[in-house]
Amino acid sequence: MNAGERLERYAKLAISVGVNLQPGQDLIVQAPIQHAPLARPVVRAAYAAGARYVGVLYTDQHVERARVELASDEALEWTPAWRLELLEDAIRRRSALLTITGDPEPDVMAGLDGTRLARSVPMELRKLNIRVVNERLLAWSIIGCATEGWARTVFGEPDVERLWRAVERAVRLDEADPVAAWRAHVARLEERARAVDERRFDAIRFRGPGTDLVVGLLPGSRWKSARNQTAWGQVHCPNLPTEEVFTTPDARRADGVIRSTRPLHLAGAEIRDLTVRMSGGRATEVRASTGEDVIRQTVALDEGASRFGELALVDGTSRVGQLGLTFRNTLFDENATCHLAFGHGLGFAVNGDDRTGVNVSGTHVDFMVGGPDVEVDGIEAGGAAVPLLRDNVWQLS
């Protein structure tokens, strides 16, 4: 397909499957200014679907660099009132929110202090975004846009067409009917989530090179997948692509050591060879060959930042994983393999009113921990281990 057709098909997929925009609904699009070529067809697709109003909020990495580099320490985490009001107004109007990601200039934050980078996300806005997710206050989705800068990070050269082909494969744009393909994919993931849910495991264990970790689950932990639903019942798909089944663990129960199997990009920094030792649910030791200052600052943001808020399983059928690429973008890389997340727990993945053991934090940071060399077991209440993943193959029928 040509470039124009690709962007139009992608935009329609984001509107019809991602946010599932409804007639008369408003939409906010968030994107770096370099992603305007995709944002524009998204706007057109939204109006064609019956949107009342579509607003685009563009960001500029150079503006963000200036803030990290030159703003006062106390201003780094400050959130201007208009940013909060924009999101709160969207919540009141039951709007949809689409975020376009894909780092257009991966090196723009090079040379900045890692501690300041980690603190540079406005804290009140971060908390409100977490509330949106946990209380299901918006129909939201995230998609990726290929750029030369992102392609250079992935391939070592600015082959943006090659990156677009990978994105197409990952989000099923290469199918004759992408919407139908997504519906079949979501149904398969939902069936897998039900199969894990029925076993009512007490814990999940990861074992592999540099890894032996047991993460406890809550009595009310429930396994979820691609399909999400707002508080008023609007179905949407938060991540395009998505390949995971996930749950909320018990923030008080994680013991052992876990080694990340893929680089993590966070606050403009690359974190490699991340190794974390957990005791009593808390990270007691954090090491990395690069970006250690950023991840250390992140897990020290508040009490809950050093505890787990999400556990997700991904097997070798993942289209993202099958591409054999490290996208250096969490939206894609977390869907290539199993992952854990430091920070706020996903309240909608826990049944009942008792939230004891659900992590509370102002952050949520996913890092990748799975792969062919990592075995994953479900641990039953009596201690018996049930294989879930072996050599990246799903074991539970």
Side-chain angles (χ1 to χ4, degrees):
M1 69 184 77
N2 62 43
E5 181 185 2
R6 167 193 289 145
L7 294 180
E8 288 180 6
R9 282 165 59 87
Y10 200 8
K12 289 178 181 177
L13 184 67
I15 294 301
S16 61
V17 172
V19 296
N20 186 24
L21 194 74
Q22 301 299 298
Q25 193 173 25
D26 298 332
L27 173 68
I28 297 174
V29 181
Q30 299 180 145
I33 55 175
Q34 294 91 337
H35 293 171
L38 177 56
R40 292 164 188 154
V42 162
V43 171
R44 294 186 64 85
Y47 280 121
R52 184 179 69 170
Y53 182 81
V54 184
V56 181
L57 181 63
Y58 285 118
T59 58
D60 186 333
Q61 290 173 295
H62 292 273
V63 172
E64 288 304 304
R65 180 187 169 98
R67 186 171 67 87
V68 176
E69 185 178 2
L70 301 171
S72 64
D73 284 345
E74 57 270 21
L76 273 181
E77 299 177 1
W78 178 71
T79 304
W82 70 268
R83 290 297 305 275
L84 296 174
E85 177 56 29
L86 179 70
L87 192 53
E88 288 167 348
D89 181 60
I91 292 169
R92 286 192 293 271
R93 289 185 289 113
R94 294 184 171 181
S95 301
L97 173 65
L98 181 70
T99 299
I100 306 177
T101 186
D103 197 343
E105 295 188 67
D107 299 325
V108 74
M109 300 297 182
L112 295 180
D113 177 76
T115 299
R116 286 178 63 85
L117 269 174
R119 294 179 52 222
S120 65
V121 178
M123 184 57 68
E124 292 305 314
L125 183 60
R126 187 198 322 240
K127 289 179 180 178
L128 183 55
N129 277 313
I130 289 174
R131 182 176 157 233
V132 165
V133 173
N134 273 290
E135 297 181 23
R136 302 176 296 152
L137 300 177
L138 292 174
W140 61 275
S141 189
I142 307 175
I143 62 173
C145 179
T147 61
E148 289 188 359
W150 186 14
R152 189 179 296 109
T153 302
V154 178
F155 303 122
E157 58 182 354
D159 192 343
V160 68
E161 178 59 28
R162 183 182 174 191
L163 181 56
W164 264 122
R165 290 196 300 269
V167 171
E168 283 177 353
R169 178 65 182 165
V171 301
R172 290 172 166 74
L173 272 185
D174 59 345
E175 299 282 351
D177 186 343
V179 173
W182 266 97
R183 286 172 179 159
H185 175 56
V186 168
R188 183 179 66 89
L189 289 177
E190 288 191 316
E191 181 58 36
R192 179 170 292 182
R194 282 192 292 269
V196 188
D197 217 29
E198 288 173 357
R199 301 303 293 262
R200 308 304 311 133
F201 291 119
D202 178 66
I204 302 294
R205 184 179 185 181
F206 297 89
R207 289 181 296 174
T211 288
D212 192 349
L213 177 75
V214 176
V215 181
L217 302 180
L218 295 161
S221 293
R222 291 296 181 266
W223 291 85
K224 303 289 185 179
S225 63
R227 184 178 182 272
N228 206 347
Q229 195 172 40
T230 66
W232 64 89
Q234 183 174 340
V235 173
H236 61 106
C237 187
N239 292 346
L240 300 180
T242 185
E243 301 282 352
E244 64 179 325
V245 295
F246 63 91
T247 192
T248 297
D250 187 338
R252 303 160 297 184
R253 299 170 55 210
D255 293 278
V257 63
I258 190 82
R259 182 172 183 175
S260 181
T261 52
R262 288 175 178 252
L264 166 66
H265 275 71
L266 177 65
E270 181 174 83
I271 299 159
R272 286 185 168 272
D273 305 313
L274 173 63
T275 300
V276 181
R277 185 169 296 279
M278 304 292 296
S279 180
R282 187 174 65 86
T284 57
E285 184 179 349
V286 178
R287 294 182 179 178
S289 61
T290 63
E292 185 174 300
D293 53 346
V294 174
I295 192 64
R296 281 181 177 272
Q297 177 67 29
T298 299
V299 300
L301 283 172
D302 52 44
E303 168 60 25
S306 66
R307 298 177 183 273
F308 293 140
E310 180 187 357
L311 185 157
L313 304 179
V314 179
D315 75 340
T317 64
S318 162
R319 283 199 175 195
V320 181
Q322 289 174 356
L323 287 165
L325 299 173
T326 299
F327 283 89
R328 291 172 170 81
N329 176 285
T330 300
L331 170 64
F332 285 78
D333 287 334
E334 74 167 9
N335 283 296
T337 192
C338 301
H339 51 274
L340 293 162
F342 283 118
H344 205 82
L346 305 173
F348 63 87
V350 178
N351 277 4
D353 296 329
D354 186 0
R355 289 296 182 265
T356 304
V358 178
N359 200 24
V360 177
S361 175
T363 191
H364 184 94
V365 177
D366 299 277
F367 65 103
M368 288 59 74
V369 299
D373 296 330
V374 179
E375 296 182 347
V376 183
D377 291 332
I379 308 299
E380 296 179 335
V386 177
L388 297 179
L389 285 168
R390 293 289 188 273
D391 194 29
N392 240 5
V393 176
W394 188 257
Q395 302 293 306
L396 195 63
S397 59

